[in-house]
């Protein structure tokens, strides 16, 4: 009986997802989606009854799925909060595991046929001096392999903090003013944006956070001034395509006035 119930429920969800996708495809698709991928450890503990590392592995697999969803729907820029500067305060063995996982993920993405077929440009945003040499080398490898592409952008925020990014931009601009390369009156929003870690990329249209937490956690503080925010109560490894479609539908239902 339970198996029959699961089959019926699965069919109902499948029908709903198809209907939802059709609705979403008829609306405006966000050009840039930013993701705070939260809940790996809680998913491991509560759903898998396993070590946090198992949750991180599931989270890596989920990112690959979401990248496919973006490519299918026509989202052109995906920025993911992979590892914050504050995450270095976690236990040493977990940090080492995550650094190993990031290295392997970057190398795998760089050699993935889907990346090259869809001309995806990979870029790290964050302080590369904070990460181990092997991860920095993987970053350079991935960026080098995809440097000529521009059809789609995958930005991985590693050793990243929004306040840190603004601070670094201000320091760079201050040095240029001191050197006489810039005048104080040259400083405007466009100039500051051009000194962020990802100059030239559009600000996020939609910022999505999983796990039910209702905060931004120092992510893209400058760029999200006019972004739509969406919070999902699903842990990141359990995030479904249906949840992603719901987030985009919510974005489509909002009237974007940009302060007007």
């Amino acid at each position: 009986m339970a198996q029959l119930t699961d089959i019926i429920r699965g069919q109902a969800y499948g029908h709903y997802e198809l209907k939802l996708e059709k609705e979403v495809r008829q609306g405006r698709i966000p050009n840039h989606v930013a993701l705070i991928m939260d809940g790996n450890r809680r998913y491991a503990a509560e759903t898998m009854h396993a070590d946090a590392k198992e949750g991180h592995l599931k989270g890596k697999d989920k990112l690959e799925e979401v990248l496919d969803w973006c490519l299918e729907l026509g989202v052109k820029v995906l920025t993911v909060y992979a590892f914050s500067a504050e995450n270095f305060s976690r236990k040493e063995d977990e940090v080492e595991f995550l650094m190993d996982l990031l290295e392997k993920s970057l190398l795998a993405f760089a050699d993935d046929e889907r990346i090259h077929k869809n001309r995806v440009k990979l870029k790290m945003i964050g302080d590369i001096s904070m990460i181990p040499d092997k991860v920095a080398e993987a970053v350079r490898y991935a960026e080098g392999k995809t440097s000529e592409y521009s059809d789609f952008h995958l930005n991985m925020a590693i050793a990243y903090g929004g306040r840190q990014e603004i601070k670094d931009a201000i320091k760079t601009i201050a040095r240029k003013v001191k050197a006489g390369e810039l005048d104080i009156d040259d400083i405007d929003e466009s100039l500051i944006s051009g000194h962020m870690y990802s100059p030239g990329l559009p600000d996020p249209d939609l910022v999505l956070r999983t796990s039910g937490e209702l905060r931004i956690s120092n992510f893209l503080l400058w760029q999200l001034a006019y972004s739509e925010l969406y919070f999902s109560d699903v842990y990141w490894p359990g995030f479904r395509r249906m949840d992603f479609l719901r987030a985009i539908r919510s974005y489509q239902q909002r009237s974007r006035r940009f302060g007007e």
Side-chain angles (χ1 to χ4, degrees):
M1 187 67 178
Q3 186 177 10
L4 179 59
T5 302
D6 289 341
I7 292 172
I8 294 172
R9 184 183 293 115
Q11 291 175 338
Y13 280 146
H15 178 72
Y16 171 71
E17 184 177 317
L18 288 173
K19 181 180 178 182
L20 183 58
E21 180 176 353
K22 182 178 179 181
E23 181 182 342
V24 164
R25 287 187 180 276
Q26 291 173 345
R28 70 187 190 283
I29 301 297
N31 185 53
H32 183 178
V33 173
L35 288 172
I36 302 174
M37 307 178 294
D38 192 26
N40 289 347
R41 294 187 292 179
R42 281 170 286 172
Y43 183 88
E46 298 173 21
T47 303
M48 303 176 70
H49 306 292
D51 184 84
K53 294 175 182 178
E54 295 301 317
H56 293 312
L57 288 170
K58 287 286 187 182
K60 177 193 75 71
D61 294 340
K62 183 58 60 176
L63 175 56
E64 293 182 20
E65 284 186 63
V66 172
L67 176 59
D68 285 337
W69 302 343
C70 288
L71 291 170
E72 291 167 6
L73 291 170
V75 175
K76 296 297 184 182
V77 184
L78 177 64
T79 300
V80 297
Y81 209 177
F83 192 90
S84 74
E86 291 84 0
N87 286 156
F88 282 106
S89 63
R90 292 183 179 181
K91 292 181 180 179
E92 184 176 348
D93 64 329
E94 184 178 6
V95 172
E96 288 180 0
F97 176 82
L98 287 167
M99 288 295 111
D100 287 342
L101 189 59
L102 281 169
E103 179 195 14
K104 292 173 184 175
S105 298
L106 286 160
L107 295 174
F109 272 126
D111 292 328
D112 192 317
E113 289 183 4
R114 294 169 300 171
I115 295 294
H116 300 287
K117 177 183 176 181
N118 292 284
R119 298 180 60 81
V120 180
K121 183 171 186 174
L122 278 84
K123 181 174 176 57
M124 171 189 163
I125 59 173
D127 186 351
I128 198 168
S129 69
M130 295 180 69
I131 61 178
D133 290 343
K134 64 180 183 179
V135 183
E137 187 57 38
V139 167
R140 286 188 282 268
Y141 178 75
E143 291 184 340
K145 289 272 285 189
T146 63
S147 62
E148 300 300 317
Y149 300 153
S150 60
D151 291 7
F152 184 92
H153 296 266
L154 173 60
N155 306 306
M156 299 187 72
I158 303 171
Y160 175 87
R163 288 181 174 179
Q164 163 193 314
E165 180 179 26
I166 295 169
K167 177 201 71 176
D168 288 347
I170 291 171
K171 289 173 72 172
T172 300
I173 292 169
R175 291 190 192 100
K176 289 183 177 181
V177 171
K178 185 177 180 180
E181 299 172 27
L182 283 174
D183 187 87
I184 287 287
D185 293 332
D186 294 330
I187 301 174
D188 56 17
E189 289 185 14
S190 177
L191 182 82
I192 296 171
S193 294
H195 285 80
M196 293 291 157
Y197 293 147
S198 54
L201 287 177
D203 292 342
D205 300 297
L206 173 64
V207 178
L208 191 165
R209 179 175 187 145
T210 58
S211 86
E213 302 293 348
L214 305 179
R215 55 180 179 269
I216 298 302
S217 295
N218 201 20
F219 184 49
L220 301 178
L221 298 182
W222 176 266
Q223 295 90 338
L224 59 71
Y226 291 104
S227 302
E228 301 294 338
L229 307 180
Y230 184 89
F231 300 96
S232 172
D233 61 2
V234 179
Y235 294 144
W236 173 246
F239 190 65
R240 301 163 297 179
R241 192 169 186 272
M242 181 168 59
D243 300 313
F244 188 58
L245 291 169
R246 282 173 172 165
I248 294 179
R249 182 181 63 179
S250 174
Y251 162 82
Q252 292 173 338
Q253 291 171 340
R254 303 179 193 182
S255 176
R256 309 198 74 204
R257 295 185 293 274
F258 301 97
E260 294 178 2

